[in-house]
Amino acid sequence: QVRLVESGGGLVQPGGSLRLSCAASGSIFSINAMGWYRRAPGKERELVAAITSGGTTNYADSVKGRFTISRDNGKSTVYLQMNSLKPEDTAVYYCNADRTVPGAIQQRYWGPGTQVTVSS
């Protein structure tokens, strides 16, 4: 079992910055990848950024050059640095973790989400 808790959301003006944090606890030794998803009002949930245990990253085209995902050395905390924020970035941001359990079964875990609102 993996528990994820996000922090760092809030209200920011367009062009501003926020840094989201996601702390993982529990069976973190088996996590293969962590990432950030978001669900904007009236929109489907989408992948924002992800990072594997090996350090490979992926970003949505809409955030490339503006957002950066990173993790600490212990790989138990992942961050999302968000710069040049736009109103369309407004969403609930969810941390996720993927892990493989015995039997090669993939499991996905989600944090409760943190609200990011970009508005003037």
Side-chain angles (χ1 to χ4, degrees):
Q1 293 75 31
V2 176
R3 183 174 182 176
L4 305 171
V5 180
E6 305 97 337
S7 62
L11 175 65
V12 65
Q13 292 186 322
S17 298
L18 285 173
R19 189 181 75 161
L20 305 183
S21 299
C22 174
S25 61
S27 301
I28 60 175
F29 63 89
S30 59
I31 294 175
N32 306 124
M34 296 182 69
W36 292 93
Y37 287 73
R38 67 186 181 188
R39 180 177 285 131
K43 302 293 192 298
E44 299 292 331
R45 183 179 64 187
E46 65 174 348
L47 174 69
V48 178
I51 185 167
T52 69
S53 59
T56 301
T57 59
N58 294 104
Y59 296 93
D61 289 340
S62 60
V63 307
K64 287 181 179 178
R66 300 189 298 121
F67 292 9
T68 303
I69 189 170
S70 62
R71 55 170 168 80
D72 64 13
N73 291 331
K75 302 180 181 180
S76 61
T77 303
V78 66
Y79 305 94
L80 185 67
Q81 178 66 46
M82 305 184 293
N83 298 325
S84 302
L85 284 162
K86 305 174 181 179
E88 51 262 45
D89 294 319
T90 296
V92 177
Y93 284 71
Y94 298 92
C95 180
N96 103 280
D98 299 334
R99 75 173 190 136
T100 302
V101 301
I105 300 173
Q106 289 287 336
Q107 295 183 327
R108 307 199 82 186
Y109 298 87
W110 299 93
T114 185
Q115 176 71 47
V116 172
T117 302
V118 184
S119 176
S120 60

